[in-house]
Amino acid sequence: MNSTNFDTNLEHTMDLFQNYPYMQDVITEHKLENDLHRIKWHFFEEEYVKGQFEKILETFELLTSSNIPNIISGRSSAVQDYVTIGNQLHVFSREQARHELNLSNEEVARLFSKVELGGARYCTKDDPQQL
């Protein structure tokens, strides 16, 4: 994996979230500020992130094409991107992105129903999944 392990004890770990006010609020709401130093942080190298972003842009181009075979291919690529990239993201990053896209957990589960067994990855307190 192309990640850099950031093992040093971060004195100001909340500074990592200065550009992500929603996650700052979530962390504060759940009183996690004093536990962030216990998390093992992984930071990906810039070239790796650029490569992953380029894959997402290629998928987007396929999905927005007027060519039906491209759209079908794009759907398959979207599922693959969701699995490979999504599994590498920290839960804080996924939650921040979901918030910025204004998507509920249920909407994410519906969008990727081929991946999530009944949306089990995005269970909610009001609508728990039975497996």
Side-chain angles (χ1 to χ4, degrees):
M1 187 183 285
N2 297 324
S3 68
T4 304
N5 197 2
F6 201 69
D7 284 329
T8 58
N9 188 2
L10 298 172
E11 288 181 33
H12 304 287
T13 311
M14 280 298 283
D15 291 348
L16 293 172
F17 301 98
Q18 65 187 13
N19 294 326
Y20 308 102
Y22 176 74
M23 279 317 303
Q24 280 184 332
D25 292 344
V26 169
I27 291 167
T28 304
E29 177 183 334
H30 294 283
K31 299 179 173 86
L32 297 174
E33 311 94 283
N34 296 326
D35 294 322
L36 292 176
H37 68 282
R38 295 178 21 205
I39 295 173
K40 192 172 194 174
W41 298 99
H42 295 275
F43 296 92
F44 290 96
E45 296 170 3
E46 188 174 335
E47 288 304 312
Y48 178 76
V49 174
K50 283 181 184 178
Q52 296 299 313
F53 189 66
E54 287 171 3
K55 285 173 61 177
I56 292 170
L57 289 176
E58 289 170 8
T59 299
F60 178 76
E61 287 177 14
L62 290 171
L63 288 169
T64 57
S65 170
S66 59
N67 182 323
I68 292 176
N70 284 354
I71 295 170
I72 293 169
S73 176
R75 288 179 182 162
S76 175
S77 293
V79 169
Q80 184 178 353
D81 292 347
Y82 176 76
V83 171
T84 58
I85 296 170
N87 286 339
Q88 296 174 8
L89 293 177
H90 192 279
V91 67
F92 289 167
S93 299
R94 281 196 302 256
E95 184 63 17
Q96 179 70 36
R98 188 191 62 74
H99 175 76
E100 288 181 16
L101 293 171
N102 200 27
L103 291 172
S104 69
N105 288 334
E106 294 82 5
E107 290 168 326
V108 172
R110 210 173 13 254
L111 283 170
F112 294 98
S113 60
K114 290 182 180 178
V115 177
E116 302 300 339
L117 180 59
R121 188 175 187 180
Y122 294 95
C123 295
T124 63
K125 194 169 28 174
D126 299 329
D127 189 23
Q129 303 295 320
Q130 300 293 321
L131 297 179

